[in-house]
Amino acid sequence: MADPSSYSRWRPHPWHGLEPGPNAPRIVNAYIEITPFDLMKYEVDKASGYLRVDRPQRTSSQPPSLYGFIPQTYCGERVRLLAEGCERGDGDPLDICVISERPINHSEVLPAALLERIEHYFSTYKLGPDEPPKIQVAGRYGFAAAAAVIRAAIEDYAEMFGRMG
């Protein structure tokens, strides 16, 4: 579990210093850690806020979109309760894939091929040679379920670190 005393509130930090969004969960901010063109997996160091190399991408699978996290969110107990089959939250900010720089109206459905790429990426990106899959994609959900997860992650964050904004 994260130690809240190890985080600095006096210097800019992409996880703690940015707001989750002007109208979360409908409109959220995203801190982008990797792009579809990165061959390395980058991750924000939780203590310092600096971007660091986490690991090289071990497979030919590249991120299907811009990928990062929603600031001031935390995947703790509330998020775990919404994640089918999970034993615990992962202790990280809530991941987000940014599909478009333009709003996608409720009537636009994401192409099936893109959804398949996203599912494939997240089910394989942590694989190493001769390792069994570590991640299983449990299903596809709409906005209502996503909004519930975002709200839960904001509440998990507030419980773990206190309200920032």
Side-chain angles (χ1 to χ4, degrees), residues 7 36 89 101:
Y7 301 102
E101 71 277 2

Side-chain angles (χ1 to χ4, degrees), residues 60-122:
S60 60
S61 179
Q62 290 181 294
S65 66
L66 298 174
Y67 171 57
F69 62 86
I70 299 173
Q72 292 186 27
T73 60
Y74 180 75
C75 294
E77 184 62 14
R78 288 173 185 84
V79 171
R80 183 200 67 81
L81 292 172
L82 296 172
E84 186 178 313
C86 287
E87 296 177 13
R88 62 177 178 79
D90 69 1
D92 283 340
L94 183 62
D95 293 335
I96 187 170
C97 288
V98 178
I99 305 300
S100 174
E101 71 277 2
R102 297 183 187 108
I104 297 173
N105 297 326
H106 69 280
S107 62
E108 291 177 6
V109 176
L110 293 177
L114 178 57
L115 291 172
E116 289 170 10
R117 284 186 64 214
I118 291 169
E119 288 176 354
H120 176 75
Y121 176 75
F122 283 104

Side-chain angles (χ1 to χ4, degrees), residues 74 134 146 163:
Y74 180 75
K134 298 176 185 178
R163 300 231 183 249

Side-chain angles (χ1 to χ4, degrees), residues 7 13-18 46 69 71-74 91-93 157 161:
Y7 301 102
H13 194 295
W15 185 16
H16 304 292
L18 301 174
K46 290 181 184 70
F69 62 86
Q72 292 186 27
T73 60
Y74 180 75
D92 283 340
Y157 181 92
F161 301 104

